[in-house]
Amino acid sequence: MSNIASPSPIRTIPEGRIYATPADVCSALAHEWMLLAQEAIAARGAFHVALSGGTTPRQLYERLAAPDYAFRLEWNRTFIYFGDERAVWPDDEQSNYRMASEALLSRVSVPPAQVFRINAERADLKKVAMDYSRLLAMTLPLAPNGMPQFDLLLLGMGDDGHVASLFPGTEALAEPRKLALPVYVQRLDSWRVSLTFNVINHARHVILLACGKAKAAMVRRALREPPGAEPLPVQRVKPVGSALEWRLDKDAAALLK
Ligand code: 6PG
């Protein structure tokens, strides 16, 4: 089978790779997804991946749904989860599930029973978070310390340094044990359900995708300023046994020396 071309980075930094455009970042990341999926399926028979929400990853999901990837990836061995979800119905335009479903899940042959949505439309978000935590514990492979372990966990980053729905100043940042929590986001006056760092930092591979000028100041701060007494949420992503991999476009990396 012909190999799919993957754009080359215009620059590499110790923390990751920088590409010319968001399209190049997403094409290269689709290729990485394929390689990580092949590795996981060969080693453990399945690929467990947590999708990030927001707008940036849409282009990645659409790239994965394109025929050259869609017909090559082993969707019947792929298990899809979510890093966080807004407290909205799954057909709401704010829903991370809706975005992923439109861009990818409705366009590839992943079995619906292998897509695990966070049911954040329900009233009792504590129970939603607890149920999702139980689901993770029952369906994911376990790390040596017993923690549910994703093969790949995708993250975006807000311009305030949040990842998933772990926003600065929220109690969820310091959660010592739970795998998922409801989070009230003051600045958005909205509720979310988010995985915690306990799960994020046990994934085999954690890749952060950030594009656009609006992220440049936070990228520089996150990568070039010491964490200080209150590390940014993104600075708390420290995968056990590996490292957070940044995948940036030129604009998001513009302030990195
Ligand atoms: C969410 C995401 C969140 C997102 C960042 C960046 O539910 O909003 O999980 O962590 O990745 O907010 O979002 P953009 O890609 O839209 O800039």
Side-chain angles (χ1 to χ4, degrees):
M1 280 189 281
S2 68
N3 277 331
I4 303 172
S6 174
S8 301
I10 54 173
R11 182 181 165 202
T12 56
I13 54 177
E15 301 87 353
R17 300 172 192 156
I18 300 164
Y19 295 85
T21 64
D24 282 356
V25 180
C26 292
S27 283
L29 192 40
H31 198 260
E32 286 192 85
W33 169 304
M34 180 177 72
L35 298 180
L36 290 173
Q38 287 169 346
E39 175 193 300
I41 291 166
R44 293 175 294 281
F47 178 52
H48 297 86
V49 54
L51 302 185
S52 63
T55 56
T56 307
R58 178 185 278 268
Q59 211 171 358
L60 165 64
Y61 304 156
E62 289 170 345
R63 185 69 190 85
L64 290 166
D68 53 346
Y69 279 108
F71 294 118
R72 184 188 295 259
L73 295 171
E74 290 187 77
W75 296 109
N76 61 329
R77 290 175 178 262
T78 299
F79 294 77
I80 302 275
Y81 301 75
F82 291 81
D84 69 330
E85 186 56 276
R86 291 85 180 274
V88 296
W89 288 93
D91 60 355
D92 187 296
E93 63 182 14
Q94 283 296 315
S95 163
N96 288 335
Y97 170 79
R98 172 176 160 174
M99 186 274 278
S101 187
E102 285 175 347
L104 177 62
L105 305 176
S106 62
R107 300 167 61 191
V108 297
S109 58
V110 60
Q114 292 174 201
V115 177
F116 303 102
R117 181 174 75 82
I118 300 175
N119 305 323
E121 73 279 6
R122 294 186 178 162
D124 185 347
L125 293 181
K126 275 190 179 168
K127 186 176 183 315
V128 170
M130 197 160 54
D131 290 347
Y132 206 69
S133 303
R134 282 204 194 104
L135 174 85
L136 297 180
M138 286 190 308
T139 60
L140 285 176
L142 301 180
N145 67 352
M147 188 61 73
Q149 183 167 56
F150 284 105
D151 295 299
L152 170 61
L153 187 139
L154 295 174
L155 292 174
M157 182 189 71
D159 57 11
D160 60 357
H162 79 260
V163 292
S165 285
L166 300 170
F167 283 76
T170 54
E171 288 174 16
L173 297 182
E175 169 54 45
R177 270 178 309 284
K178 291 179 181 164
L179 308 181
L181 280 175
V183 181
Y184 176 67
V185 186
Q186 189 89 33
R187 61 173 265 206
L188 301 174
D189 186 23
S190 72
W191 281 93
R192 309 263 184 109
V193 173
S194 180
L195 297 189
T196 63
F197 290 119
N198 300 316
V199 190
I200 292 169
N201 285 333
H202 279 88
R204 287 175 181 270
H205 299 276
V206 185
I207 297 180
L208 187 147
L209 170 60
C211 297
K213 286 189 174 59
K215 304 290 173 75
M218 183 47 70
V219 167
R220 190 200 59 77
R221 184 176 162 195
L223 291 179
R224 294 293 178 264
E225 286 187 15
E230 268 303 299
L232 292 160
V234 67
Q235 291 175 321
R236 297 170 189 239
V237 180
K238 296 177 178 301
V240 174
S242 68
L244 172 60
E245 284 287 337
W246 291 69
R247 296 293 180 266
L248 305 168
D249 75 335
K250 190 170 55 180
D251 287 345
L255 300 180
L256 292 180
K257 293 278 178 278

